[in-house]
Amino acid sequence: MTPLERPIGVVLADDDVEMLDFLENLVDWKAMGFEILARGTDGLDALRRLRDRPADLLLSDITMPGMDGYALAAALRERNPDVRALFFTCHEDFDHARRAIHAGAEAYLVKYTLNGDTLSRELMKAGAVVRQARTRRARENAFDESLVSARESLIYETVKMARADPERMRERFTLYKMGFRHVQFCLIAISADGGTPPGAVPDFVGADSFRLDSSRSDSSRSDLSRPDSTHPTSEQPAATAAWRHELAAILGESFQAAGIEDHLFFYDSQVILLHGWDDPPALEDSYVEILARSLKAIGDERVVRLVALRGGLYRSPADIPAALADLAVRREAQFYNQNALLLQETVQWPDYAQPSPEAMEETLSRLLTPFRARGDFPRALEDVAASLCADRIAPSAVRRLFEGLIRRMRETGEPIPHDQPPVQLESASFAACLAAVQSAYARFKRAEDGALAYAERPDIRRALRYVEAHLRDDLSLRTLAEKLHISAGYLSRLFRKHAGVSYSEYLTKRRVARATELLRDGDLSMEEVAERVGIDNVNYFYRFYKRETGMTPGSARKGGAGR
C-alpha cells in the first residue's frame, strides 16, 4: 500500500473514557478512510499507545492532566509536521477558540453540540487537507528521486570529469550557453544551519543545475516552487528539498529581474550559486540585498535559519571540486560567526583552542549540576557559552560537549523519549548548537513537569515544584499538604485530577528517575544516592530500586547491562 492509499491515522485523546467510546462509535471511521491508531486519557498516554506509528489527525480534548491537547498536538507535529488537529472542549469561549486556532486546529468543537453529522463534516475537511499534504510530499519525493538519477546534469559532468578533461568542459559550457566566460568565479553555499555539509568532497550525486537568468522561462521553474508545511531537517529529505526548491524559485525571479546570470545547483542539502566576475571581485549591494531578502523570506516561512557562505576565487570549471572543498573549510572558520551572510572574500582561520578532555568534562559538569538540581540552567548555559566564545574553543570540542549534554538530558529519568535518534551537531554553527541545547531543555521541562507546565491551578504547580526540590526530605502526603497549607485529602484529589496518578505513584516515579540519574553519573556512593532520594536505609533502597525497575542499582550504574 502506497502512502497515498494508506488510511488517515487518527489519535483520540480525552480524560473522559466515556467520551472516547462516544467518539469511536459516532461515525464509521473505516468507511470514511480513517483508522484509529491510538486513544489515550491524556497526551502522554496517547503518545505511549501510539508508539512510532505515523499519525495524520488528532482529535483531542483541550484540558487534560499530564499533557493537554495543545502540547499533544505539538508533540505529534515533531514526528510529522503535517499532522492536523480537531480540538473539542466543554468551554465555548473566545480564549479557547483563539488558542486552538493558534495551535493550528482545523476546527474547534464544543462537546455538548457534537453529533455524527458535525464530526463527519469536519473529518472530511481535515482529511482533504491531509491528502493534499501527502500528495505534495509524494511529488517532492519523486522530484528528489529524479535528481539522484540526473547523471547527465551539466554540473554533475563538470565535477565528475573536470580533472580529466577541463577543456571539454569549457566547450560544454559554451555549447549550453552557460556563459563560463568570466575571468573568475566563486561559489556561494546556502544551507540550513545545523544541516550536513560535506566534510570533504564526496561523489557528486543527485545534482540538478539550471541557469538563473532570462533564458529560463517561468514554466520551467514551476516544479521547483510548490510549497509544503514541513520544516527542513536532516531526517526529512522531502522537507529539505522543499526549502531548496522554493529558494531556487525566489532567487530565479529576483536574479532575472536584476539581469544577474548566476548558475545554481543542489549539493549535499545545500543550494550552491556559481557567481562570476570580470571586474574586481566585490559583490554588489543589490546582489547582497537579493540574497538577504530571499533567505529571510524562506527562513521566516519555514522557521529555519539559512546561512549564505562565500567561497574563494577560481578560474576554471576544473576548479569546482576544489571550490566545494573550500566551502567546507570556510564553514569551520565561521563557527562562532552568527551572521546570516558570510560573504567576505578572504577568511582568516581562527586560532582555535584545543582543550583537554578533563577541561571539557569540567565544563559539562558546570551545566549538569544546575540541570540536575533544577537550578538556573539557562543562566549556567549563558555563562558557559560566553566562556566558550571568549576562549575560542575548537568547534569539534564544542559540538561534542553539547551532544553529550543533550544525551545526559535524555537519560535523566523518563521525560525525554529514549527512542529518539541522537542529536547530530557535526556541522552546526555555535548558534545552532546552543539552539539545540535550548530546545532539548525546553522539551525536558515540558515533559517532566507534565501538569506543572500545563495545569491551570497554582496549587498543583507549587506541589510539583516542592517535590522536585525536596526529594531527599520527608515527603509524605501530610507533610506536603502542611507545607502548602491545604488538607491532605484535598491534595490527594488534586494530584489524581491534574497529575493523572496518585501522589505516592508520582513520588515513587520521581525518586526512581533521580536515583537512575545519580547512579549513571557514578560520582556518589550507593549510600549517598539513597540519601539524595529520601531513603535512609541502603538495603531498603536496593530492594526499592529492584522492585520498581527490575534491575539492581549496580546494574543501572553500569548502564543497565545486568538484571
Side-chain angles (χ1 to χ4, degrees), residues 196-202 267-268 270 324-329 332 426-427:
T196 306
V201 182
Y267 182 78
D268 275 11
Q270 301 172 92
L324 291 168
D326 173 56
L327 286 172
V329 173
E332 288 297 277
E426 73 274 8
S427 64

Side-chain angles (χ1 to χ4, degrees), residues 22-308:
F22 172 72
L23 287 171
E24 193 164 352
N25 294 287
L26 189 58
V27 297
D28 189 342
W29 296 91
K30 184 175 181 181
M32 296 176 66
F34 295 84
E35 178 187 2
I36 298 177
L37 301 179
R39 45 178 279 178
T41 54
D42 72 354
L44 294 175
D45 184 37
L47 288 176
R48 282 193 294 266
R49 295 175 185 275
L50 180 64
R51 297 181 182 175
D52 58 353
R53 288 176 291 184
D56 303 296
L57 179 64
L58 168 66
L59 276 75
S60 176
D61 191 4
I62 292 178
T63 304
M64 296 181 293
M67 176 185 282
D68 68 9
Y70 301 130
L72 176 56
L76 290 175
R77 288 199 178 102
E78 289 179 359
R79 303 182 180 187
N80 174 14
D82 292 329
V83 166
R84 314 311 301 173
L86 298 174
F87 289 124
F88 46 84
T89 182
C90 296
H91 307 283
E92 190 172 12
D93 61 53
F94 173 75
D95 184 61
H96 274 284
R98 178 184 58 78
R99 290 186 64 193
I101 292 170
H102 182 71
E106 293 299 309
Y108 170 79
L109 307 173
V110 180
K111 287 184 178 181
Y112 61 78
T113 64
L114 187 62
N115 56 44
D117 291 340
T118 301
L119 182 58
S120 296
R121 183 169 59 252
E122 297 300 336
L123 285 175
M124 295 308 293
K125 291 179 183 178
V129 175
V130 169
R131 292 185 179 95
Q132 289 174 1
R134 286 183 178 180
T135 300
R136 287 196 302 268
R137 190 176 296 278
R139 184 169 59 237
E140 286 162 357
N141 285 339
F143 186 83
D144 263 7
E145 290 173 4
S146 70
L147 295 184
V148 174
S149 62
R151 294 295 188 260
E152 296 304 316
S153 165
L154 182 57
I155 296 291
Y156 169 78
E157 291 296 328
T158 299
V159 177
K160 182 179 177 182
M161 303 176 61
R163 291 188 179 93
D165 194 351
E167 193 57 39
R168 180 185 171 196
M169 289 302 98
R170 290 181 183 277
E171 295 173 358
R172 286 173 65 87
F173 269 78
T174 301
L175 175 65
Y176 287 93
K177 298 181 180 180
M178 287 189 71
F180 209 92
R181 57 185 178 273
H182 299 289
V183 173
Q184 51 198 348
F185 74 91
C186 79
L187 300 183
I188 298 174
I190 302 173
S191 61
D193 194 9
T196 306
V201 182
D203 290 339
F204 201 101
V205 178
D208 180 67
S209 173
F210 46 94
R211 186 171 180 168
L212 298 179
D213 62 11
S214 57
S215 67
R216 189 165 180 85
S217 67
D218 290 341
S219 61
S220 64
R221 289 195 307 269
S222 60
D223 287 341
L224 301 176
S225 58
R226 295 168 180 156
D228 72 356
S229 60
T230 57
H231 291 184
T233 68
S234 57
E235 292 79 17
Q236 300 166 358
T240 303
W243 76 258
R244 289 185 294 151
H245 302 160
E246 292 179 13
L247 180 63
I250 291 176
L251 288 174
E253 294 171 359
S254 300
F255 285 169
Q256 178 182 345
I260 297 171
E261 299 185 357
D262 275 18
H263 303 294
L264 179 151
F265 58 93
F266 299 154
Y267 182 78
D268 275 11
S269 300
Q270 301 172 92
V271 173
I272 306 291
L273 296 174
L274 190 155
H275 186 74
W277 284 286
D278 291 320
D279 298 321
L283 291 172
E284 297 182 357
D285 292 342
S286 59
Y287 187 91
V288 175
E289 182 182 349
I290 289 173
L291 282 181
R293 186 172 61 248
S294 301
L295 266 60
K296 185 176 187 304
I298 299 298
D300 289 349
E301 177 183 349
R302 296 195 169 275
V303 196
V304 64
R305 181 174 183 263
L306 297 180
V307 178

